[in-house]
Amino acid sequence: MAMSLAQATLFSRTSLFLSRNGLRRFTVCVPSSSSSSSSSSSSDNLCRKKWRQPVASVLEVGGVKISREDVVRDDPTNNVPDIIFSRLGMQLHRRDQHPLGILKNAIFEYFDTSYSNKFDKFDDLCPIVSVKQNFDDVLVPADHVSRSYNDTYYIDSQTVLRCHTSAHQAELLRKGHTHFLVTGDVYRRDSIDSTHYPVFHQMEGVRVFSPDDWEASGIDSTSYAAEDLKKCLEGLARHLFGAVEMRWIDTYFPFTNPSFELEIYFQDNWLEVLGCGVMEQEILKRSGKVNNVAWAFGLGLERLAMVLFDIPDIRLFWSTDERFTSQFSKGQLGVKFKPFSKFPPCYKDISFWISESFTENNLCEIVRGIAGDLAEEVQLIDNFTNKKGMTSHCYRIAYRSMERSLTDEEINELQWNVREQVQSRLNVVLR
Protein backbone atom coordinates (compact mmCIF):
# COMPACT_ATOMS: atom_id res chain seq x y z
CA MET A 1 0.00 0.00 0.00
CA ALA A 2 1.54 3.23 -1.05
CA MET A 3 -0.57 6.27 -0.29
CA SER A 4 0.66 9.75 0.56
CA LEU A 5 -0.77 11.14 3.78
CA ALA A 6 2.10 12.94 5.51
CA GLN A 7 3.29 16.38 4.55
CA ALA A 8 5.07 18.11 7.40
CA THR A 9 8.68 16.94 7.04
CA LEU A 10 11.30 16.37 4.38
CA PHE A 11 10.41 13.47 2.07
CA SER A 12 7.13 12.98 3.93
CA ARG A 13 4.87 11.64 1.20
CA THR A 14 5.76 8.04 0.53
CA SER A 15 2.74 6.05 1.56
CA LEU A 16 -0.36 5.51 3.60
CA PHE A 17 2.10 3.67 5.80
CA LEU A 18 3.25 7.19 6.78
CA SER A 19 0.78 9.21 8.87
CA ARG A 20 -0.27 12.80 8.13
CA ASN A 21 0.90 15.41 10.60
CA GLY A 22 -2.48 16.43 11.93
CA LEU A 23 -5.78 17.16 10.22
CA ARG A 24 -6.29 20.20 8.04
CA ARG A 25 -9.27 22.38 8.73
CA PHE A 26 -11.67 22.83 5.84
CA THR A 27 -15.36 23.44 5.23
CA VAL A 28 -15.62 22.41 1.59
CA CYS A 29 -18.15 19.65 0.98
CA VAL A 30 -16.45 16.26 0.74
CA PRO A 31 -17.62 14.17 -2.23
CA SER A 32 -19.38 10.95 -1.38
CA SER A 33 -17.28 7.90 -0.58
CA SER A 34 -19.86 5.21 -1.23
CA SER A 35 -18.48 1.71 -1.45
CA SER A 36 -21.10 0.47 -3.86
CA SER A 37 -19.97 -1.60 -6.81
CA SER A 38 -21.27 1.07 -9.16
CA SER A 39 -18.39 3.37 -8.26
CA SER A 40 -15.86 0.74 -9.25
CA SER A 41 -17.59 -0.06 -12.51
CA SER A 42 -17.94 3.61 -13.41
CA SER A 43 -14.18 4.11 -13.24
CA ASP A 44 -13.61 0.89 -15.17
CA ASN A 45 -15.88 2.20 -17.90
CA LEU A 46 -14.05 5.52 -17.79
CA CYS A 47 -10.77 3.76 -18.54
CA ARG A 48 -12.19 1.44 -21.19
CA LYS A 49 -14.77 3.53 -23.02
CA LYS A 50 -14.26 4.83 -26.53
CA TRP A 51 -13.04 8.31 -25.80
CA ARG A 52 -14.57 11.28 -27.58
CA GLN A 53 -12.37 13.68 -29.51
CA PRO A 54 -10.98 16.22 -27.02
CA VAL A 55 -11.67 19.90 -27.00
CA ALA A 56 -8.06 20.77 -26.18
CA SER A 57 -5.86 17.69 -26.08
CA VAL A 58 -5.76 13.95 -25.62
CA LEU A 59 -3.32 11.76 -23.73
CA GLU A 60 -2.65 8.04 -23.78
CA VAL A 61 -2.19 6.19 -20.50
CA GLY A 62 -1.70 2.45 -20.44
CA GLY A 63 -3.04 2.12 -23.96
CA VAL A 64 -6.15 4.14 -23.06
CA LYS A 65 -6.81 7.51 -24.68
CA ILE A 66 -7.96 10.10 -22.16
CA SER A 67 -9.30 13.46 -23.28
CA ARG A 68 -9.17 16.65 -21.27
CA GLU A 69 -12.95 16.94 -21.19
CA ASP A 70 -13.18 13.58 -19.41
CA VAL A 71 -10.81 14.65 -16.62
CA VAL A 72 -11.18 18.42 -16.30
CA ARG A 73 -14.96 18.57 -16.13
CA ASP A 74 -17.63 21.15 -15.46
CA ASP A 75 -18.77 19.24 -12.40
CA PRO A 76 -19.30 20.70 -8.89
CA THR A 77 -17.07 17.99 -7.39
CA ASN A 78 -14.31 18.23 -10.02
CA ASN A 79 -11.10 19.88 -8.82
CA VAL A 80 -8.60 18.68 -11.44
CA PRO A 81 -6.73 21.64 -13.01
CA ASP A 82 -5.16 21.69 -16.46
CA ILE A 83 -1.63 21.44 -15.08
CA ILE A 84 -2.49 18.09 -13.50
CA PHE A 85 -4.11 16.81 -16.68
CA SER A 86 -0.92 17.73 -18.55
CA ARG A 87 1.04 15.34 -16.30
CA LEU A 88 -1.18 12.34 -17.04
CA GLY A 89 0.55 9.86 -19.29
CA MET A 90 4.10 11.15 -18.79
CA GLN A 91 5.00 8.09 -16.66
CA LEU A 92 8.52 9.09 -15.68
CA HIS A 93 8.95 5.76 -13.91
CA ARG A 94 8.84 3.94 -17.27
CA ARG A 95 11.83 5.84 -18.72
CA ASP A 96 14.94 3.70 -18.34
CA GLN A 97 17.35 6.67 -18.44
CA HIS A 98 15.38 8.75 -15.94
CA PRO A 99 16.35 8.62 -12.23
CA LEU A 100 12.91 7.27 -11.30
CA GLY A 101 13.06 4.60 -13.99
CA ILE A 102 16.60 3.65 -13.00
CA LEU A 103 15.52 3.26 -9.37
CA LYS A 104 12.41 1.26 -10.30
CA ASN A 105 14.49 -1.12 -12.40
CA ALA A 106 17.02 -1.54 -9.57
CA ILE A 107 14.19 -2.59 -7.24
CA PHE A 108 12.85 -4.95 -9.91
CA GLU A 109 16.33 -6.46 -10.21
CA TYR A 110 16.43 -7.15 -6.48
CA PHE A 111 13.08 -8.95 -6.48
CA ASP A 112 13.85 -10.90 -9.68
CA THR A 113 17.15 -12.09 -8.23
CA SER A 114 15.94 -12.79 -4.70
CA TYR A 115 12.65 -14.46 -5.64
CA SER A 116 13.42 -16.13 -9.00
CA ASN A 117 11.11 -13.83 -11.01
CA LYS A 118 8.16 -14.76 -8.80
CA PHE A 119 6.83 -11.21 -8.48
CA ASP A 120 4.45 -9.94 -11.19
CA LYS A 121 5.12 -6.34 -12.14
CA PHE A 122 2.58 -3.68 -13.08
CA ASP A 123 3.70 -0.18 -14.04
CA ASP A 124 1.17 0.93 -16.66
CA LEU A 125 -2.20 0.79 -14.88
CA CYS A 126 -4.73 3.55 -15.53
CA PRO A 127 -4.56 6.26 -12.81
CA ILE A 128 -8.31 6.94 -12.99
CA VAL A 129 -9.94 4.84 -10.27
CA SER A 130 -13.11 4.74 -8.21
CA VAL A 131 -13.50 6.04 -4.68
CA LYS A 132 -14.09 2.43 -3.66
CA GLN A 133 -10.82 1.27 -5.18
CA ASN A 134 -8.85 4.19 -3.79
CA PHE A 135 -10.19 4.16 -0.24
CA ASP A 136 -12.74 1.52 0.75
CA ASP A 137 -10.87 -1.50 -0.62
CA VAL A 138 -7.87 -0.72 1.59
CA LEU A 139 -9.94 0.11 4.69
CA VAL A 140 -9.37 3.86 4.74
CA PRO A 141 -11.92 5.16 7.28
CA ALA A 142 -14.87 7.12 5.95
CA ASP A 143 -13.86 10.21 7.93
CA HIS A 144 -10.16 10.10 7.04
CA VAL A 145 -8.60 13.40 5.93
CA SER A 146 -7.22 11.82 2.75
CA ARG A 147 -10.75 11.54 1.34
CA SER A 148 -11.31 15.29 1.45
CA TYR A 149 -11.72 17.53 -1.55
CA ASN A 150 -8.82 19.50 -0.08
CA ASP A 151 -6.39 16.59 -0.40
CA THR A 152 -7.51 14.43 -3.35
CA TYR A 153 -8.21 15.19 -7.01
CA TYR A 154 -11.81 14.26 -7.77
CA ILE A 155 -13.02 13.82 -11.35
CA ASP A 156 -16.54 13.41 -10.00
CA SER A 157 -18.02 12.31 -6.68
CA GLN A 158 -17.23 8.64 -7.34
CA THR A 159 -14.03 8.88 -9.40
CA VAL A 160 -10.56 10.16 -8.50
CA LEU A 161 -7.02 10.32 -9.74
CA ARG A 162 -5.40 7.64 -7.62
CA CYS A 163 -3.49 9.04 -4.67
CA HIS A 164 -1.69 5.77 -4.02
CA THR A 165 -0.82 2.62 -5.96
CA SER A 166 -2.80 0.55 -3.45
CA ALA A 167 -5.90 1.48 -5.43
CA HIS A 168 -5.14 -1.59 -7.57
CA GLN A 169 -4.38 -3.98 -4.73
CA ALA A 170 -7.81 -5.58 -4.21
CA GLU A 171 -8.37 -6.13 -7.93
CA LEU A 172 -4.99 -7.84 -8.35
CA LEU A 173 -5.65 -10.06 -5.33
CA ARG A 174 -9.07 -11.04 -6.71
CA LYS A 175 -7.44 -11.91 -10.03
CA GLY A 176 -5.23 -14.42 -8.26
CA HIS A 177 -1.91 -12.57 -8.03
CA THR A 178 -0.02 -13.58 -4.90
CA HIS A 179 3.33 -11.83 -5.47
CA PHE A 180 3.26 -8.43 -7.17
CA LEU A 181 4.82 -4.99 -7.43
CA VAL A 182 2.78 -1.99 -8.58
CA THR A 183 4.52 1.21 -9.70
CA GLY A 184 2.76 4.33 -10.88
CA ASP A 185 2.24 8.06 -10.89
CA VAL A 186 -0.07 9.22 -8.10
CA TYR A 187 -1.79 12.54 -7.46
CA ARG A 188 -2.22 14.62 -4.30
CA ARG A 189 -3.17 18.25 -3.73
CA ASP A 190 -0.18 19.52 -1.81
CA SER A 191 2.07 22.34 -0.71
CA ILE A 192 4.80 23.92 -2.84
CA ASP A 193 8.42 23.44 -1.82
CA SER A 194 11.53 21.53 -2.87
CA THR A 195 10.24 18.12 -1.72
CA HIS A 196 6.51 18.31 -2.51
CA TYR A 197 4.80 18.08 -5.89
CA PRO A 198 1.18 17.22 -6.78
CA VAL A 199 2.30 14.31 -8.95
CA PHE A 200 4.80 11.78 -7.66
CA HIS A 201 5.57 8.08 -8.03
CA GLN A 202 5.13 5.13 -5.74
CA MET A 203 5.76 1.42 -5.58
CA GLU A 204 4.04 -1.10 -3.43
CA GLY A 205 4.74 -4.77 -2.97
CA VAL A 206 2.50 -7.61 -1.80
CA ARG A 207 3.29 -11.22 -0.96
CA VAL A 208 0.59 -13.76 -0.03
CA PHE A 209 1.33 -16.94 1.92
CA SER A 210 -0.67 -20.17 2.16
CA PRO A 211 -0.86 -22.46 5.24
CA ASP A 212 1.78 -24.73 3.69
CA ASP A 213 4.28 -21.88 3.94
CA TRP A 214 4.11 -21.29 7.70
CA GLU A 215 2.82 -24.53 9.21
CA ALA A 216 6.21 -26.24 8.98
CA SER A 217 7.97 -23.26 10.59
CA GLY A 218 6.57 -23.83 14.04
CA ILE A 219 5.43 -20.20 14.42
CA ASP A 220 2.08 -18.54 13.82
CA SER A 221 1.15 -17.13 10.43
CA THR A 222 1.41 -13.46 11.44
CA SER A 223 4.89 -13.87 12.94
CA TYR A 224 6.00 -15.85 9.90
CA ALA A 225 4.84 -13.11 7.50
CA ALA A 226 6.40 -10.34 9.62
CA GLU A 227 9.78 -12.10 9.73
CA ASP A 228 9.74 -12.70 5.98
CA LEU A 229 8.77 -9.07 5.35
CA LYS A 230 11.65 -7.69 7.42
CA LYS A 231 14.16 -10.02 5.80
CA CYS A 232 12.95 -8.97 2.33
CA LEU A 233 13.09 -5.23 2.99
CA GLU A 234 16.41 -5.30 4.80
CA GLY A 235 17.82 -6.97 1.70
CA LEU A 236 16.27 -4.30 -0.50
CA ALA A 237 17.78 -1.52 1.61
CA ARG A 238 21.24 -3.09 1.31
CA HIS A 239 20.74 -3.50 -2.44
CA LEU A 240 20.02 0.23 -2.83
CA PHE A 241 22.18 1.84 -0.14
CA GLY A 242 24.91 -0.67 0.64
CA ALA A 243 25.89 -1.91 4.10
CA VAL A 244 23.92 0.60 6.15
CA GLU A 245 22.71 0.48 9.74
CA MET A 246 18.95 -0.16 9.96
CA ARG A 247 16.25 -0.03 12.60
CA TRP A 248 12.59 -1.02 12.74
CA ILE A 249 9.99 1.28 14.31
CA ASP A 250 6.67 -0.16 15.50
CA THR A 251 3.77 1.97 14.36
CA TYR A 252 0.05 1.85 13.57
CA PHE A 253 -1.79 1.74 10.24
CA PRO A 254 -5.47 0.85 9.77
CA PHE A 255 -4.77 -1.78 7.10
CA THR A 256 -1.82 -3.70 8.57
CA ASN A 257 -1.25 -5.35 11.93
CA PRO A 258 1.49 -5.42 13.07
CA SER A 259 2.89 -2.38 11.27
CA PHE A 260 6.46 -1.12 10.91
CA GLU A 261 8.60 1.64 9.45
CA LEU A 262 12.13 0.94 8.23
CA GLU A 263 14.82 3.55 8.81
CA ILE A 264 18.43 3.50 7.64
CA TYR A 265 21.40 5.52 8.85
CA PHE A 266 22.63 7.24 5.71
CA GLN A 267 24.84 10.31 5.27
CA ASP A 268 24.86 10.95 9.03
CA ASN A 269 21.06 10.95 9.33
CA TRP A 270 18.29 8.47 10.02
CA LEU A 271 16.19 8.26 6.86
CA GLU A 272 12.72 6.76 6.82
CA VAL A 273 12.70 4.47 3.78
CA LEU A 274 9.25 2.89 3.75
CA GLY A 275 6.22 1.70 5.69
CA CYS A 276 5.00 -1.87 5.80
CA GLY A 277 3.15 -4.52 7.76
CA VAL A 278 1.14 -7.71 7.80
CA MET A 279 -2.03 -7.12 5.82
CA GLU A 280 -5.32 -6.94 7.70
CA GLN A 281 -7.26 -10.16 7.24
CA GLU A 282 -10.36 -8.24 6.18
CA ILE A 283 -8.63 -7.15 2.97
CA LEU A 284 -7.70 -10.74 2.14
CA LYS A 285 -11.15 -11.99 3.11
CA ARG A 286 -12.85 -9.54 0.75
CA SER A 287 -10.53 -10.73 -2.00
CA GLY A 288 -11.46 -14.39 -1.51
CA LYS A 289 -8.32 -15.40 0.38
CA VAL A 290 -9.80 -16.48 3.70
CA ASN A 291 -7.05 -18.90 4.72
CA ASN A 292 -4.08 -16.78 3.71
CA VAL A 293 -1.81 -14.21 5.30
CA ALA A 294 0.11 -11.49 3.44
CA TRP A 295 2.55 -8.64 3.84
CA ALA A 296 2.64 -5.33 2.03
CA PHE A 297 5.02 -2.37 1.79
CA GLY A 298 4.94 1.05 0.17
CA LEU A 299 7.72 3.44 -0.83
CA GLY A 300 8.06 6.74 -2.65
CA LEU A 301 10.43 6.76 -5.61
CA GLU A 302 11.14 10.51 -5.44
CA ARG A 303 12.08 10.28 -1.78
CA LEU A 304 14.71 7.64 -2.41
CA ALA A 305 15.89 9.04 -5.76
CA MET A 306 16.53 12.50 -4.30
CA VAL A 307 18.85 10.89 -1.75
CA LEU A 308 20.53 8.37 -4.04
CA PHE A 309 21.13 10.85 -6.90
CA ASP A 310 21.61 14.03 -4.80
CA ILE A 311 18.73 15.78 -6.57
CA PRO A 312 17.92 18.92 -4.54
CA ASP A 313 14.54 19.92 -6.00
CA ILE A 314 11.64 17.63 -6.85
CA ARG A 315 10.73 19.78 -9.89
CA LEU A 316 13.93 18.62 -11.58
CA PHE A 317 12.40 15.19 -12.19
CA TRP A 318 10.10 16.88 -14.72
CA SER A 319 12.84 18.82 -16.47
CA THR A 320 13.50 18.22 -20.17
CA ASP A 321 16.71 20.27 -20.07
CA GLU A 322 19.52 18.17 -21.55
CA ARG A 323 21.83 19.43 -18.81
CA PHE A 324 19.68 17.37 -16.46
CA THR A 325 18.58 14.42 -18.59
CA SER A 326 22.04 13.74 -20.04
CA GLN A 327 23.51 13.07 -16.58
CA PHE A 328 21.69 9.76 -16.13
CA SER A 329 22.04 6.43 -17.93
CA LYS A 330 20.17 3.14 -17.87
CA GLY A 331 21.31 0.89 -15.04
CA GLN A 332 23.49 3.53 -13.37
CA LEU A 333 22.03 3.77 -9.87
CA GLY A 334 23.27 6.54 -7.61
CA VAL A 335 25.08 8.77 -10.12
CA LYS A 336 25.34 12.10 -8.29
CA PHE A 337 23.56 15.00 -9.95
CA LYS A 338 25.78 17.96 -10.81
CA PRO A 339 23.92 21.30 -10.64
CA PHE A 340 24.21 23.07 -13.97
CA SER A 341 22.99 26.47 -12.82
CA LYS A 342 21.40 28.29 -9.94
CA PHE A 343 19.37 31.26 -11.04
CA PRO A 344 18.29 33.66 -8.30
CA PRO A 345 14.80 33.43 -6.85
CA CYS A 346 12.38 36.33 -6.79
CA TYR A 347 10.19 36.70 -3.71
CA LYS A 348 6.71 38.21 -3.72
CA ASP A 349 4.45 38.52 -0.69
CA ILE A 350 0.66 38.38 -0.60
CA SER A 351 -1.46 39.18 2.48
CA PHE A 352 -5.18 38.70 3.00
CA TRP A 353 -7.91 38.18 5.56
CA ILE A 354 -8.88 34.52 5.36
CA SER A 355 -12.37 33.04 5.38
CA GLU A 356 -13.51 29.88 7.18
CA SER A 357 -13.27 27.92 3.93
CA PHE A 358 -9.66 28.92 3.22
CA THR A 359 -7.04 26.17 2.95
CA GLU A 360 -3.39 26.45 2.04
CA ASN A 361 -3.76 23.67 -0.54
CA ASN A 362 -6.28 25.79 -2.44
CA LEU A 363 -3.84 28.70 -2.46
CA CYS A 364 -1.06 26.45 -3.76
CA GLU A 365 -3.33 25.13 -6.51
CA ILE A 366 -3.90 28.69 -7.73
CA VAL A 367 -0.20 29.57 -7.61
CA ARG A 368 0.80 26.36 -9.39
CA GLY A 369 -1.96 26.79 -11.97
CA ILE A 370 -0.66 30.24 -12.90
CA ALA A 371 3.11 29.86 -12.47
CA GLY A 372 3.52 26.12 -13.06
CA ASP A 373 7.00 24.90 -12.15
CA LEU A 374 8.24 28.48 -11.83
CA ALA A 375 6.67 28.41 -8.36
CA GLU A 376 9.45 27.13 -6.10
CA GLU A 377 7.89 27.64 -2.68
CA VAL A 378 4.83 29.04 -0.96
CA GLN A 379 5.51 29.75 2.70
CA LEU A 380 3.38 31.24 5.46
CA ILE A 381 5.58 33.93 7.01
CA ASP A 382 3.10 35.77 9.24
CA ASN A 383 -0.39 35.41 10.68
CA PHE A 384 -2.38 37.21 13.34
CA THR A 385 -5.95 37.64 14.56
CA ASN A 386 -7.30 41.12 15.28
CA LYS A 387 -9.71 42.22 17.99
CA LYS A 388 -12.66 41.57 15.69
CA GLY A 389 -11.64 37.94 15.33
CA MET A 390 -10.47 38.31 11.73
CA THR A 391 -7.33 36.32 10.84
CA SER A 392 -4.72 37.56 8.39
CA HIS A 393 -2.17 35.38 6.58
CA CYS A 394 0.91 36.58 4.74
CA TYR A 395 2.50 34.17 2.28
CA ARG A 396 5.86 34.55 0.57
CA ILE A 397 5.98 33.08 -2.94
CA ALA A 398 9.39 32.21 -4.38
CA TYR A 399 9.52 32.22 -8.18
CA ARG A 400 12.55 30.60 -9.77
CA SER A 401 13.33 28.86 -13.04
CA MET A 402 15.85 26.04 -13.00
CA GLU A 403 16.82 26.83 -16.59
CA ARG A 404 16.92 30.61 -17.04
CA SER A 405 16.67 34.00 -15.35
CA LEU A 406 13.16 35.37 -14.97
CA THR A 407 12.43 38.96 -15.95
CA ASP A 408 10.79 41.49 -13.65
CA GLU A 409 7.99 41.88 -16.16
CA GLU A 410 6.98 38.22 -16.21
CA ILE A 411 7.27 37.83 -12.43
CA ASN A 412 5.10 40.90 -11.84
CA GLU A 413 2.53 39.54 -14.29
CA LEU A 414 2.48 36.18 -12.50
CA GLN A 415 2.03 37.84 -9.13
CA TRP A 416 -0.72 40.11 -10.40
CA ASN A 417 -2.61 37.11 -11.77
CA VAL A 418 -2.14 35.25 -8.48
CA ARG A 419 -3.60 38.20 -6.55
CA GLU A 420 -6.60 38.40 -8.85
CA GLN A 421 -7.31 34.66 -8.67
CA VAL A 422 -6.82 34.45 -4.91
CA GLN A 423 -9.31 37.25 -4.33
CA SER A 424 -11.93 35.98 -6.77
CA ARG A 425 -11.72 32.26 -6.05
CA LEU A 426 -10.80 31.88 -2.38
CA ASN A 427 -13.29 34.23 -0.79
CA VAL A 428 -10.59 36.27 0.93
CA VAL A 429 -9.95 40.01 1.26
CA LEU A 430 -6.56 41.22 0.10
CA ARG A 431 -4.64 43.54 2.38
Side-chain angles (χ1 to χ4, degrees), residues 10-258:
L10 183 67
F11 306 125
S12 61
R13 307 180 317 163
T14 54
S15 70
L16 189 55
F17 287 110
L18 304 181
S19 60
R20 183 177 293 277
N21 183 27
L23 302 184
R24 282 208 181 94
R25 187 165 162 265
F26 62 94
T27 58
V28 177
C29 178
V30 179
S32 169
S33 58
S34 168
S35 60
S36 66
S37 59
S38 62
S39 63
S40 179
S41 61
S42 67
S43 71
D44 288 343
N45 290 336
L46 186 61
C47 283
R48 294 170 183 167
K49 64 179 281 191
K50 182 178 180 181
W51 298 92
R52 296 168 292 172
Q53 284 297 314
V55 173
S57 60
V58 65
L59 302 171
E60 186 166 320
V61 183
V64 177
K65 290 185 177 180
I66 301 176
S67 68
R68 177 185 178 278
E69 62 188 1
D70 287 302
V71 178
V72 184
R73 296 180 179 176
D74 184 14
D75 184 294
T77 59
N78 184 284
N79 63 346
V80 183
D82 283 326
I83 191 171
I84 295 301
F85 173 75
S86 71
R87 295 294 188 254
L88 282 169
M90 295 190 71
Q91 298 185 310
L92 303 181
H93 61 285
R94 303 189 75 224
R95 303 180 184 184
D96 290 342
Q97 293 185 319
H98 190 279
L100 298 181
I102 295 169
L103 175 57
K104 181 202 72 173
N105 290 335
I107 298 173
F108 282 179
E109 178 186 23
Y110 168 77
F111 278 93
D112 285 344
T113 302
S114 302
Y115 295 92
S116 301
N117 298 304
K118 186 179 290 186
F119 277 77
D120 300 321
K121 306 178 193 68
F122 304 90
D123 68 354
D124 196 22
L125 299 177
C126 182
I128 298 173
V129 299
S130 68
V131 167
K132 178 178 182 297
Q133 291 171 304
N134 202 67
F135 297 119
D136 301 320
D137 284 350
V138 287
L139 309 183
V140 176
D143 60 350
H144 200 281
V145 64
S146 65
R147 291 179 181 258
S148 79
Y149 184 87
N150 189 53
D151 283 39
T152 294
Y153 288 110
Y154 280 83
I155 293 175
D156 56 43
S157 65
Q158 293 301 315
T159 314
V160 299
L161 293 178
R162 65 183 173 210
C163 49
H164 57 138
T165 48
S166 297
H168 307 286
Q169 185 184 101
E171 180 182 5
L172 292 174
L173 287 170
R174 286 193 298 268
K175 288 183 176 180
H177 297 283
T178 59
H179 299 66
F180 57 85
L181 302 170
V182 180
T183 314
D185 43 325
V186 297
Y187 300 79
R188 299 288 296 172
R189 301 181 88 238
D190 215 337
S191 53
I192 298 176
D193 60 39
S194 63
T195 63
H196 292 82
Y197 200 79
V199 188
F200 50 106
H201 299 76
Q202 295 180 336
M203 179 186 294
E204 78 163 60
V206 171
R207 186 181 189 187
V208 180
F209 300 93
S210 65
D212 291 340
D213 293 315
W214 70 79
E215 285 177 349
S217 69
I219 60 177
D220 64 274
S221 59
T222 299
S223 298
Y224 180 88
E227 287 186 11
D228 185 87
L229 170 64
K230 290 183 176 182
K231 179 181 178 181
C232 169
L233 296 179
E234 287 173 0
L236 175 60
R238 285 190 292 269
H239 180 72
L240 298 178
F241 293 94
V244 293
E245 183 181 353
M246 296 178 236
R247 67 184 183 188
W248 289 97
I249 308 297
D250 292 332
T251 188
Y252 165 79
F253 306 116
F255 32 76
T256 55
N257 184 29

Side-chain angles (χ1 to χ4, degrees), residues 235-381:
L236 175 60
R238 285 190 292 269
H239 180 72
L240 298 178
F241 293 94
V244 293
E245 183 181 353
M246 296 178 236
R247 67 184 183 188
W248 289 97
I249 308 297
D250 292 332
T251 188
Y252 165 79
F253 306 116
F255 32 76
T256 55
N257 184 29
S259 303
F260 316 100
E261 292 172 350
L262 175 62
E263 295 183 349
I264 65 170
Y265 195 71
F266 187 74
Q267 297 178 347
D268 298 324
N269 288 295
W270 283 104
L271 171 68
E272 186 175 347
V273 177
L274 50 80
C276 61
V278 178
M279 191 181 296
E280 283 285 2
Q281 288 300 118
E282 181 63 22
I283 296 175
L284 290 167
K285 180 181 177 181
R286 292 181 185 182
S287 302
K289 301 186 184 308
V290 180
N291 299 318
N292 300 95
V293 66
W295 56 243
F297 72 84
L299 58 83
L301 293 181
E302 277 88 348
R303 164 188 279 197
L304 300 185
M306 291 180 79
V307 174
L308 288 166
F309 294 94
D310 278 354
I311 295 175
D313 194 309
I314 197 169
R315 294 175 299 164
L316 280 164
F317 289 111
W318 300 90
S319 176
T320 58
D321 193 311
E322 289 187 1
R323 292 172 295 178
F324 175 78
T325 59
S326 64
Q327 293 190 37
F328 308 101
S329 301
K330 180 179 179 179
Q332 299 299 307
L333 181 67
V335 172
K336 302 306 180 184
F337 169 67
K338 298 177 181 178
F340 47 84
S341 62
K342 190 68 172 179
F343 295 100
C346 178
Y347 298 101
K348 294 289 185 179
D349 294 349
I350 180 171
S351 301
F352 45 82
W353 300 104
I354 68 170
S355 63
E356 289 187 359
S357 62
F358 173 79
T359 70
E360 190 170 304
N361 275 359
N362 287 338
L363 170 64
C364 289
E365 283 294 303
I366 288 176
V367 174
R368 189 179 282 114
I370 292 171
D373 286 351
L374 296 181
E376 181 175 68
E377 185 176 31
V378 174
Q379 181 182 17
L380 179 64
I381 60 172

